[in-house]
Amino acid sequence: MAIIITDECINCDACISECPNNAIYEPDQEWSYSDETALAGIVQTPGGKEVDADGENDPISDEFYFIVPDKCTECKGFHDEPQCASVCPVDCCIPDENHVESEEQLLGKKAWLHGE
């Protein structure tokens, strides 16, 4: 399952540089699938949705750092635990119950994001 940042976030910036998928963004920041990934042009997500990887998407939050669920792999294939959660000083990086995925799905997403 993806990780979500709760409204307890203090916008400290500790998590953003830890994410190997560039799935974490600053409040009110537009994002794209291609940001620091191997994706480009029109691609199909592991969930079957067709998206423009280079297209700018609206921010998920305008108040707190946020994680794009389609880019979050819980650091599977990189680390033993989600790095955002391990560095968060207020423990606001928690599992997102709305985006439950198996380890196999998370590793598949990692391969998709990084062209493996």
Side-chain angles (χ1 to χ4, degrees), residues 34-112:
S34 64
D35 292 336
E36 304 296 322
T37 70
L39 302 175
I42 303 300
V43 297
Q44 189 169 21
T45 67
K49 182 173 60 172
E50 191 172 277
V51 297
D52 178 1
D54 302 309
E56 293 292 319
N57 296 283
D58 291 334
I60 294 174
S61 173
D62 61 356
E63 293 183 60
F64 308 103
Y65 279 76
F66 62 89
I67 298 173
V68 176
D70 283 347
K71 293 179 73 176
C72 178
T73 63
E74 290 185 37
C75 296
K76 296 291 183 194
F78 293 104
H79 304 285
D80 292 334
E81 64 182 354
Q83 295 302 286
C84 57
S86 70
V87 300
C88 182
V90 293
D91 296 326
C92 68
C93 298
I94 61 170
D96 183 354
E97 299 293 332
N98 293 321
H99 294 95
V100 177
E101 297 165 296
S102 68
E103 183 170 348
E104 181 179 310
Q105 289 171 310
L106 293 168
L107 289 171
K109 190 188 314 181
K110 173 194 178 277
W112 172 71

